[in-house]
Amino acid sequence: RVLDLSLFLPGPHLTMMMADHGAEVIKLEPPGEGEPNRHIGPREGDTTVYFRNTHRGKKSISLNLKDPAAREALLRVADTADVFVEAFRPGVVDRLGVGYQAVAARNPRIVYCSIAAFGQTGPYAKRAGYDFMIQGLGGLMSLTGRPEGDEGAGPVKVGVALTDILTGLYSTVAILAALAHRDHD
């Protein structure tokens, strides 16, 4: 059982792969508009193609984690989960009362995955990050685009959200390794 508090692409891609392989995934969506992917790109029927592709096979709940009763409801679900995925800026889950310490105190066997663009510590830790930003900072954009002298010369982001997709993939591998290690202890 996977509890997913992430938004946009890296976390939803990770939990989509887990759902594709048989995990029960419970997606926490923010109150109101819900997961932003519900509103990005072309629609078919009452959902966007993007949302259907990143959230297939998942169950959704909506809770306001600033409400103590809602937070307790989420923690009760976490009590029965194997995996907890979040992608807030460092410190946010602790302020909301659902950080690793709070969740692991109730469920010591939980595998807790935090996705952050710049990690949990360091000078950029509290900065938001997006795929195209990481492509640029990491040097990937220096390999794309048009050569100097051409009209429109300069770096260009890769056509797909490669950094987000790879983050989801590597996070999935790390979670599966942690689950295997946990289950062999």
Side-chain angles (χ1 to χ4, degrees), residues 120-142:
Q120 298 297 313
T121 60
Y124 286 6
K126 301 237 187 249
R127 291 186 179 187
Y130 303 95
D131 186 272
F132 64 87
M133 177 191 293
I134 304 303
Q135 286 183 31
L137 288 171
L140 183 59
M141 283 189 196
S142 70

Side-chain angles (χ1 to χ4, degrees), residues 63-179:
L63 297 170
N64 178 355
L65 294 181
K66 294 178 182 176
D67 173 9
R71 181 174 42 254
E72 178 56 32
L74 179 76
L75 288 169
R76 280 195 307 273
V77 175
D79 290 345
T80 65
D82 297 291
V83 176
F84 190 104
V85 176
E86 63 89 4
F88 292 99
R89 288 187 199 176
V92 171
V93 287
D94 291 325
R95 284 194 305 276
L96 291 171
V98 295
Y100 173 74
Q101 297 300 328
V103 174
R106 297 172 62 124
N107 181 353
R109 292 180 46 82
I110 196 85
V111 172
Y112 196 102
C113 176
S114 294
I115 299 172
F118 298 103
Q120 298 297 313
T121 60
Y124 286 6
K126 301 237 187 249
R127 291 186 179 187
Y130 303 95
D131 186 272
F132 64 87
M133 177 191 293
I134 304 303
Q135 286 183 31
L137 288 171
L140 183 59
M141 283 189 196
S142 70
L143 305 173
T144 61
R146 299 178 77 150
E148 272 190 50
D150 282 4
E151 186 178 329
V156 176
K157 71 180 187 75
V158 175
V160 297
L162 188 61
T163 305
D164 285 350
I165 292 168
L166 289 174
T167 298
L169 179 62
Y170 285 128
S171 297
T172 302
V173 171
I175 288 169
L176 292 175
L179 286 169

